[in-house]
mmCIF file of all heavy atoms in Angstrom:
data_model
loop_
_atom_site.group_PDB
_atom_site.id
_atom_site.type_symbol
_atom_site.label_atom_id
_atom_site.label_comp_id
_atom_site.label_asym_id
_atom_site.label_seq_id
_atom_site.Cartn_x
_atom_site.Cartn_y
_atom_site.Cartn_z
ATOM 1 N N GLN B 233 86.253 159.968 122.138
ATOM 2 C CA GLN B 233 84.858 160.353 121.923
ATOM 3 C C GLN B 233 84.564 160.611 120.459
ATOM 4 O O GLN B 233 83.525 160.199 119.937
ATOM 5 C CB GLN B 233 84.546 161.619 122.716
ATOM 6 C CG GLN B 233 84.007 161.350 124.094
ATOM 7 C CD GLN B 233 83.731 162.654 124.812
ATOM 8 O OE1 GLN B 233 82.755 163.333 124.529
ATOM 9 N NE2 GLN B 233 84.613 163.013 125.722
ATOM 10 N N LEU B 234 85.483 161.299 119.809
ATOM 11 C CA LEU B 234 85.279 161.572 118.389
ATOM 12 C C LEU B 234 85.141 160.267 117.620
ATOM 13 O O LEU B 234 84.274 160.116 116.759
ATOM 14 C CB LEU B 234 86.456 162.381 117.828
ATOM 15 C CG LEU B 234 86.543 163.837 118.294
ATOM 16 C CD1 LEU B 234 87.802 164.496 117.752
ATOM 17 C CD2 LEU B 234 85.313 164.610 117.843
ATOM 18 N N ARG B 235 86.010 159.317 117.957
ATOM 19 C CA ARG B 235 85.972 158.029 117.255
ATOM 20 C C ARG B 235 84.594 157.393 117.374
ATOM 21 O O ARG B 235 84.029 156.888 116.405
ATOM 22 C CB ARG B 235 87.051 157.109 117.835
ATOM 23 C CG ARG B 235 87.417 155.954 116.913
ATOM 24 C CD ARG B 235 88.494 155.070 117.528
ATOM 25 N NE ARG B 235 89.760 155.752 117.719
ATOM 26 C CZ ARG B 235 90.315 156.011 118.891
ATOM 27 N NH1 ARG B 235 89.704 155.627 120.011
ATOM 28 N NH2 ARG B 235 91.470 156.629 118.979
ATOM 29 N N ARG B 236 84.030 157.429 118.565
ATOM 30 C CA ARG B 236 82.722 156.801 118.769
ATOM 31 C C ARG B 236 81.603 157.604 118.123
ATOM 32 O O ARG B 236 80.707 157.042 117.469
ATOM 33 C CB ARG B 236 82.463 156.636 120.265
ATOM 34 C CG ARG B 236 83.341 155.560 120.903
ATOM 35 C CD ARG B 236 82.903 155.260 122.325
ATOM 36 N NE ARG B 236 83.196 156.348 123.241
ATOM 37 C CZ ARG B 236 84.300 156.453 123.973
ATOM 38 N NH1 ARG B 236 85.235 155.525 123.909
ATOM 39 N NH2 ARG B 236 84.479 157.471 124.780
ATOM 40 N N LEU B 237 81.643 158.915 118.313
ATOM 41 C CA LEU B 237 80.562 159.743 117.766
ATOM 42 C C LEU B 237 80.542 159.681 116.242
ATOM 43 O O LEU B 237 79.470 159.715 115.620
ATOM 44 C CB LEU B 237 80.743 161.197 118.228
ATOM 45 C CG LEU B 237 80.540 161.436 119.725
ATOM 46 C CD1 LEU B 237 80.972 162.843 120.120
ATOM 47 C CD2 LEU B 237 79.083 161.202 120.121
ATOM 48 N N ILE B 238 81.704 159.590 115.649
ATOM 49 C CA ILE B 238 81.769 159.507 114.195
ATOM 50 C C ILE B 238 81.331 158.128 113.722
ATOM 51 O O ILE B 238 80.590 157.998 112.740
ATOM 52 C CB ILE B 238 83.195 159.844 113.705
ATOM 53 C CG1 ILE B 238 83.475 161.329 113.923
ATOM 54 C CG2 ILE B 238 83.369 159.481 112.231
ATOM 55 C CD1 ILE B 238 84.901 161.739 113.666
ATOM 56 N N ALA B 239 81.772 157.093 114.430
ATOM 57 C CA ALA B 239 81.366 155.737 114.050
ATOM 58 C C ALA B 239 79.847 155.606 114.096
ATOM 59 O O ALA B 239 79.239 154.912 113.275
ATOM 60 C CB ALA B 239 82.014 154.710 114.978
ATOM 61 N N ALA B 240 79.236 156.283 115.063
ATOM 62 C CA ALA B 240 77.789 156.166 115.217
ATOM 63 C C ALA B 240 77.041 157.105 114.264
ATOM 64 O O ALA B 240 75.817 157.023 114.149
ATOM 65 C CB ALA B 240 77.394 156.479 116.655
ATOM 66 N N GLY B 241 77.777 157.987 113.619
ATOM 67 C CA GLY B 241 77.095 158.931 112.741
ATOM 68 C C GLY B 241 76.503 160.110 113.498
ATOM 69 O O GLY B 241 75.788 160.926 112.919
ATOM 70 N N GLN B 242 76.761 160.208 114.800
ATOM 71 C CA GLN B 242 76.287 161.379 115.539
ATOM 72 C C GLN B 242 77.020 162.623 115.060
ATOM 73 O O GLN B 242 76.534 163.739 115.185
ATOM 74 C CB GLN B 242 76.490 161.193 117.042
ATOM 75 C CG GLN B 242 75.689 160.033 117.617
ATOM 76 C CD GLN B 242 75.569 160.111 119.129
ATOM 77 O OE1 GLN B 242 75.432 161.186 119.699
ATOM 78 N NE2 GLN B 242 75.613 158.954 119.785
ATOM 79 N N LEU B 243 78.224 162.409 114.550
ATOM 80 C CA LEU B 243 78.915 163.456 113.805
ATOM 81 C C LEU B 243 78.959 162.972 112.362
ATOM 82 O O LEU B 243 79.623 161.980 112.059
ATOM 83 C CB LEU B 243 80.330 163.663 114.351
ATOM 84 C CG LEU B 243 80.436 164.459 115.657
ATOM 85 C CD1 LEU B 243 81.848 164.401 116.203
ATOM 86 C CD2 LEU B 243 80.027 165.906 115.411
ATOM 87 N N ALA B 244 78.249 163.664 111.498
ATOM 88 C CA ALA B 244 78.120 163.194 110.112
ATOM 89 C C ALA B 244 79.333 163.583 109.282
ATOM 90 O O ALA B 244 79.997 164.585 109.566
ATOM 91 C CB ALA B 244 76.857 163.784 109.498
ATOM 92 N N VAL B 245 79.603 162.785 108.282
ATOM 93 C CA VAL B 245 80.712 163.075 107.372
ATOM 94 C C VAL B 245 80.559 164.478 106.790
ATOM 95 O O VAL B 245 79.484 164.864 106.342
ATOM 96 C CB VAL B 245 80.751 162.034 106.233
ATOM 97 C CG1 VAL B 245 81.703 162.485 105.120
ATOM 98 C CG2 VAL B 245 81.180 160.674 106.765
ATOM 99 N N GLY B 246 81.635 165.241 106.846
ATOM 100 C CA GLY B 246 81.619 166.589 106.303
ATOM 101 C C GLY B 246 81.219 167.650 107.309
ATOM 102 O O GLY B 246 81.400 168.835 107.068
ATOM 103 N N GLU B 247 80.680 167.206 108.430
ATOM 104 C CA GLU B 247 80.234 168.161 109.447
ATOM 105 C C GLU B 247 81.426 168.880 110.066
ATOM 106 O O GLU B 247 82.467 168.284 110.303
ATOM 107 C CB GLU B 247 79.461 167.388 110.532
ATOM 108 C CG GLU B 247 78.736 168.290 111.498
ATOM 109 C CD GLU B 247 77.804 167.486 112.404
ATOM 110 O OE1 GLU B 247 77.635 166.273 112.145
ATOM 111 O OE2 GLU B 247 77.282 168.058 113.373
ATOM 112 N N ARG B 248 81.242 170.159 110.337
ATOM 113 C CA ARG B 248 82.331 170.937 110.933
ATOM 114 C C ARG B 248 82.397 170.704 112.424
ATOM 115 O O ARG B 248 81.383 170.666 113.117
ATOM 116 C CB ARG B 248 82.112 172.426 110.693
ATOM 117 C CG ARG B 248 82.781 172.930 109.433
ATOM 118 C CD ARG B 248 82.773 174.439 109.373
ATOM 119 N NE ARG B 248 83.637 175.064 110.372
ATOM 120 C CZ ARG B 248 83.758 176.385 110.511
ATOM 121 N NH1 ARG B 248 83.069 177.182 109.744
ATOM 122 N NH2 ARG B 248 84.563 176.892 111.432
ATOM 123 N N LEU B 249 83.607 170.643 112.931
ATOM 124 C CA LEU B 249 83.759 170.521 114.375
ATOM 125 C C LEU B 249 83.874 171.892 115.002
ATOM 126 O O LEU B 249 84.231 172.866 114.331
ATOM 127 C CB LEU B 249 84.998 169.704 114.695
ATOM 128 C CG LEU B 249 84.686 168.222 114.572
ATOM 129 C CD1 LEU B 249 85.369 167.644 113.368
ATOM 130 C CD2 LEU B 249 85.060 167.503 115.830
ATOM 131 N N PRO B 250 83.576 171.972 116.299
ATOM 132 C CA PRO B 250 83.769 173.260 116.981
ATOM 133 C C PRO B 250 85.247 173.628 116.918
ATOM 134 O O PRO B 250 86.109 172.759 116.962
ATOM 135 C CB PRO B 250 83.320 172.969 118.417
ATOM 136 C CG PRO B 250 83.404 171.490 118.576
ATOM 137 C CD PRO B 250 83.123 170.920 117.225
ATOM 138 N N SER B 251 85.528 174.910 116.828
ATOM 139 C CA SER B 251 86.916 175.339 116.683
ATOM 140 C C SER B 251 87.706 175.028 117.950
ATOM 141 O O SER B 251 87.167 174.901 119.044
ATOM 142 C CB SER B 251 86.989 176.831 116.404
ATOM 143 O OG SER B 251 86.833 177.567 117.599
ATOM 144 N N VAL B 252 89.004 174.903 117.759
ATOM 145 C CA VAL B 252 89.895 174.656 118.891
ATOM 146 C C VAL B 252 89.632 175.651 120.010
ATOM 147 O O VAL B 252 89.510 175.288 121.186
ATOM 148 C CB VAL B 252 91.355 174.758 118.425
ATOM 149 C CG1 VAL B 252 92.300 174.858 119.608
ATOM 150 C CG2 VAL B 252 91.713 173.565 117.559
ATOM 151 N N ARG B 253 89.514 176.910 119.621
ATOM 152 C CA ARG B 253 89.332 177.943 120.645
ATOM 153 C C ARG B 253 87.986 177.800 121.347
ATOM 154 O O ARG B 253 87.877 178.043 122.550
ATOM 155 C CB ARG B 253 89.441 179.328 119.994
ATOM 156 C CG ARG B 253 90.861 179.683 119.543
ATOM 157 C CD ARG B 253 90.809 180.760 118.451
ATOM 158 N NE ARG B 253 92.104 181.326 118.112
ATOM 159 C CZ ARG B 253 92.948 180.794 117.217
ATOM 160 N NH1 ARG B 253 92.637 179.658 116.606
ATOM 161 N NH2 ARG B 253 94.095 181.389 116.940
ATOM 162 N N ASP B 254 86.953 177.430 120.612
ATOM 163 C CA ASP B 254 85.646 177.251 121.238
ATOM 164 C C ASP B 254 85.682 176.123 122.259
ATOM 165 O O ASP B 254 85.189 176.267 123.380
ATOM 166 C CB ASP B 254 84.590 176.924 120.176
ATOM 167 C CG ASP B 254 84.139 178.175 119.429
ATOM 168 O OD1 ASP B 254 84.612 179.280 119.793
ATOM 169 O OD2 ASP B 254 83.331 178.056 118.500
ATOM 170 N N VAL B 255 86.230 174.988 121.841
ATOM 171 C CA VAL B 255 86.284 173.854 122.754
ATOM 172 C C VAL B 255 87.104 174.206 123.990
ATOM 173 O O VAL B 255 86.709 173.926 125.127
ATOM 174 C CB VAL B 255 86.881 172.621 122.050
ATOM 175 C CG1 VAL B 255 87.061 171.480 123.037
ATOM 176 C CG2 VAL B 255 86.002 172.189 120.892
ATOM 177 N N ALA B 256 88.251 174.845 123.745
ATOM 178 C CA ALA B 256 89.127 175.195 124.862
ATOM 179 C C ALA B 256 88.440 176.159 125.817
ATOM 180 O O ALA B 256 88.490 175.995 127.036
ATOM 181 C CB ALA B 256 90.420 175.795 124.341
ATOM 182 N N GLY B 257 87.773 177.154 125.241
ATOM 183 C CA GLY B 257 87.084 178.124 126.080
ATOM 184 C C GLY B 257 85.945 177.490 126.854
ATOM 185 O O GLY B 257 85.819 177.674 128.066
ATOM 186 N N PHE B 258 85.147 176.710 126.161
ATOM 187 C CA PHE B 258 83.964 176.102 126.769
ATOM 188 C C PHE B 258 84.334 175.210 127.948
ATOM 189 O O PHE B 258 83.666 175.206 128.978
ATOM 190 C CB PHE B 258 83.205 175.301 125.712
ATOM 191 C CG PHE B 258 81.905 174.715 126.174
ATOM 192 C CD1 PHE B 258 80.745 175.481 126.159
ATOM 193 C CD2 PHE B 258 81.829 173.415 126.631
ATOM 194 C CE1 PHE B 258 79.533 174.953 126.585
ATOM 195 C CE2 PHE B 258 80.626 172.877 127.066
ATOM 196 C CZ PHE B 258 79.472 173.639 127.043
#
Side-chain angles (χ1 to χ4, degrees):
Chain B
Q233 268 180 75
L234 289 176
R235 199 180 296 115
R236 289 189 290 267
L237 292 170
I238 290 172
Q242 297 197 37
L243 283 171
V245 168
E247 191 171 352
R248 268 191 69 181
L249 279 109
S251 79
V252 166
R253 290 158 170 86
D254 281 357
V255 175
F258 185 84

